[in-house]
Amino acid sequence: MNSFNELWEMVKAECQALVSESIYNVWFKDIELISFNEEKVVLAISGFKKKIVETRFIDKLNQAFYNIMGFEIPIEFVDSLGYSQPEEEKIEVEDKSDTDTFDSFVVGSSNKFAHAAAIAVAANPGGSYNPLFIHGNSGLGKTHLLNAICHEIKKNDPNANIVYTRGENFTNDLIRHLAQKNMVEFHNKYRNADILLVDDVQFIAGKESTQEEFFHTFNAVATAGNQIVLTSDMPPKMIETLDDRLRNRFEWGLIADIQPPDLETRMAIIKRKAVKLGLDIPDDVIQYIAQRLKDNIRQLEGAVKKMQAYVTMQGLPISITTAQAAIKDIMVDTQPQPITVDKIVQEVARTYGVSADDIRSKRQDAGTVEMRQMSIYLVRELTGMSTNAIGKAFGGKNHTTILYSISQFEDKLKSRSDLREKVENIKKNVSDKH
C-alpha cells in the first residue's frame, strides 16, 4: 500500500457499494481518515454527523474495512470541528470535484446525450439549457457530471458563485436557518448563485415549506439569467408529491436521462480506472467483470479498487480468480432477493415521496389510505402471503379489513389509469431491485 490515501479510497468505494448514493453522500462522504495502524483506525467527522455514524452506520464501516483488509480493526471517531492534526500527520484526501471531470467521464451510447448537455451548460451557463435536468438510477454518473460542470466553470471563471447542494441538505439548511431566524442569510446563499446545482432534488418533494422556498430560489436564479442544474432518480413527471409549479419549471429547459452502460462502455470504465490505479488488467479479466456487473458504474470501479488491494496487500496476480474474489460480495448484493413486505412498502413510499412509517401509521387521510391499500394489494399480488399474514404485517389488521382494502383498491384500479401505471412501475421496480 503506497499511502493511507489508497487504503481510504478503497474503503470509501466499499461504503458506496454497501449503502445508497444519498446515504453515502450525506453520512460517509465527509469522513476523513486521520490515522491508521494495526491497533485502530481514527476517523474524523463533524459533530452532529459523528453521533449518527457511530450509532447507525458503524456496521457498514466495519464491513468496508474488513472487505478491503481481510481482518477486523477497531474504529475510533473524533469530531473534525474540534480536532487539529499535527502538520506532519495530515493526510490529503482526494477531492472528487477535481477528479470528476469531463475528461474522466467514460462516454457511451447510454450517457452521451447527458454528457453533451452538461458540456454545453458548462460552456455557456444560463444559456438555452436552463434548467438542465439529468435523471437516472443510482451509480450511473449523475454526480460525476455535476462535479464536472463545477470543475469546468471554475476553470473558465474562478470568480463564479457556484452553489452545490443536495435535496436533503437544502431542507436541512432551511430548517437550521428557520430555527436561527436568519432567513436573509439563507436567501443570500441560494438566490444569489451564479450556478445552482442540486443533486437528488427528488428529496424535496412532499415537503411543503422546502418546496415553497425552492420555488422562490429557482425563480430568483433563473430570472437573473443564471444556470440551474438538477439531478434525480426519475424525470419530473414521475416525482410524486412534487409541487406542480416546480414540476413545470423543472421541465422548462432540457431533460436528459442516463441509462445503465452497455458492455463496451463498462469495459472502457474498467480500463480507465485500472490505468488510473496503475493496474494492467488483461482483456479477458476486464470482460469477465463487465459481463457480471451491469447496472452500476460505482460497482465497476469498486471491483477494480478491490483488485488493487489484492495485488498490493496480498501480492496476488491479476486473473479471473482474483476478479471472482473482487466481485463476490457485490454479486451477492445484486442477486435477486425474496420480495418482502418491507421492500414493497418502501417502494410505494419512494414513489409517493413519503416515508414507509407514514404508510404504516394510523393516519386516515385519503392519500395515506390509498398508499396503504396499494401496499396491501401489491403484497398480496407479489408475495402470495395469506390475508392473515398480511394483516399481521400491517399492524395486526384482521382478515376482513385486508380483504376490504384489496377490494377497494381493485375498484380504484378499474377506473383510474394513473393508479394502474403506478402499480406497474412499482412492480417493475421491486422486481428489478430484487
Side-chain angles (χ1 to χ4, degrees):
M1 183 70 61
N2 295 328
S3 70
F4 290 141
N5 285 348
E6 294 179 20
L7 168 68
W8 183 229
E9 288 306 310
M10 286 186 281
V11 171
K12 287 198 296 184
E14 280 298 303
C15 290
Q16 287 179 303
L18 291 170
V19 300
S20 69
E21 183 178 16
S22 59
I23 288 177
Y24 176 83
N25 287 334
V26 172
W27 301 109
F28 288 78
K29 190 172 184 179
D30 296 333
I31 300 175
E32 297 181 55
L33 175 63
I34 301 300
S35 66
F36 170 78
N37 56 46
E38 294 182 357
E39 296 182 354
K40 68 178 179 180
V41 173
V42 178
L43 303 176
I45 189 168
S46 63
F48 86 97
K49 289 186 177 181
K50 175 175 173 288
K51 183 176 180 180
I52 298 295
V53 172
E54 284 180 314
T55 56
R56 290 180 53 190
F57 300 115
I58 185 63
D59 289 346
K60 299 297 184 185
L61 279 165
N62 282 331
Q63 183 66 48
F65 273 102
Y66 181 82
N67 289 349
I68 293 299
M69 297 164 46
F71 58 88
E72 296 180 356
I73 188 167
I75 298 175
E76 178 183 319
F77 291 92
V78 297
D79 189 339
S80 60
L81 295 179
Y83 185 83
S84 177
Q85 301 179 65
E87 189 67 29
E88 65 274 15
E89 293 182 5
K90 287 186 178 178
I91 299 170
E92 294 183 5
V93 178
E94 181 183 9
D95 181 359
K96 286 193 71 175
S97 65
D98 290 334
T99 58
D100 283 354
T101 64
F102 289 123
D103 288 340
S104 65
F105 189 85
V106 179
V107 182
S109 59
S110 61
N111 58 26
K112 62 182 179 182
F113 181 69
H115 175 260
I119 289 178
V121 163
N124 183 27
S128 56
Y129 301 149
N130 197 19
L132 172 61
F133 192 103
I134 303 172
H135 68 90
N137 290 336
S138 174
L140 296 182
K142 302 188 300 294
T143 301
H144 187 137
L145 288 179
L146 286 188
N147 282 326
I149 291 171
C150 289
H151 184 272
E152 191 69 16
I153 292 175
K154 281 182 182 178
K155 185 174 70 174
N156 296 333
D157 183 5
N159 296 319
N161 179 20
I162 301 175
V163 177
Y164 182 122
T165 189
R166 297 176 177 83
E168 287 180 315
N169 291 354
F170 185 87
T171 298
N172 294 336
D173 208 11
L174 172 61
I175 293 170
R176 181 169 61 86
H177 281 85
L178 284 170
Q180 296 172 350
K181 298 182 179 179
N182 190 8
M183 289 303 294
V184 172
E185 180 180 271
F186 181 87
H187 293 156
N188 288 338
K189 175 181 178 179
Y190 291 102
R191 298 184 186 184
N192 293 331
D194 296 325
I195 316 292
L196 176 64
L197 307 102
V198 184
D199 208 356
D200 288 326
V201 74
Q202 74 272 9
F203 286 114
I204 72 170
K207 301 177 176 70
E208 185 174 348
S209 297
T210 301
Q211 291 189 103
E212 182 69 22
E213 274 300 330
F214 196 79
F215 172 77
H216 294 298
T217 297
F218 186 105
N219 284 349
V221 176
T223 300
N226 295 327
Q227 182 68 50
I228 300 170
V229 185
L230 310 169
T231 74
S232 171
D233 61 356
M234 62 187 78
K237 67 179 182 180
M238 295 291 292
I239 305 177
E240 300 288 345
T241 72
L242 180 66
D243 187 288
D244 286 339
R245 298 180 302 172
L246 285 175
R247 193 189 320 278
N248 176 267
R249 280 158 177 76
F250 290 177
E251 294 174 342
W252 272 359
L254 182 67
I255 299 176
D257 73 321
I258 301 180
Q259 297 295 324
D262 57 25
L263 176 63
E264 291 75 15
T265 304
R266 297 197 300 273
M267 292 179 67
I269 290 168
I270 294 169
K271 284 183 179 180
R272 176 165 290 190
K273 192 66 178 180
V275 169
K276 182 179 177 181
L277 296 178
L279 290 181
D280 183 13
I281 303 180
D283 287 344
D284 62 329
V285 177
I286 289 175
Q287 185 169 346
Y288 176 85
I289 297 172
Q291 286 176 332
R292 283 155 181 81
L293 301 179
K294 301 179 180 180
D295 300 320
N296 193 303
I297 292 170
R298 191 179 300 118
Q299 290 179 344
L300 295 171
E301 295 179 339
V304 177
K305 288 182 177 181
K306 183 169 281 191
M307 290 187 70
Q308 183 199 37
Y310 288 141
V311 172
T312 58
M313 297 177 68
Q314 301 180 25
L316 298 177
I318 298 176
S319 64
I320 295 291
T321 301
T322 314
Q324 288 173 335
I327 69 175
K328 178 180 63 177
D329 293 335
I330 298 173
M331 289 297 292
V332 170
D333 288 343
T334 57
Q335 289 300 309
Q337 299 294 320
I339 296 175
T340 65
V341 174
D342 285 344
K343 290 170 183 175
I344 292 169
V345 173
Q346 287 167 7
E347 183 61 26
V348 173
R350 189 194 68 81
T351 298
Y352 281 91
V354 301
S355 72
D357 288 340
D358 288 335
I359 295 176
R360 293 181 181 275
S361 71
K362 297 183 182 297
R363 288 167 50 186
Q364 294 298 316
D365 58 279
T368 302
V369 169
E370 182 169 284
M371 289 183 283
R372 191 178 300 127
Q373 289 176 343
M374 178 186 286
S375 300
I376 290 170
Y377 169 84
L378 285 166
V379 169
R380 198 275 304 270
E381 290 289 303
L382 298 175
T383 70
M385 290 170 60
S386 69
T387 53
N388 287 332
I390 296 173
K392 186 176 180 180
F394 281 85
K397 298 184 184 301
N398 61 40
H399 165 80
T400 304
T401 301
I402 295 301
L403 285 178
Y404 178 77
S405 294
I406 293 170
S407 174
Q408 287 284 297
F409 192 73
E410 286 176 337
D411 288 342
K412 293 177 182 178
L413 283 177
K414 293 174 183 176
S415 60
R416 289 177 53 186
S417 60
D418 64 313
L419 277 187
R420 292 195 295 272
E421 183 179 353
K422 288 185 181 71
V423 165
E424 290 307 311
N425 286 333
I426 291 169
K427 284 182 178 180
K428 181 179 183 300
N429 290 340
V430 170
S431 299
D432 288 348
K433 291 177 182 178
H434 308 290

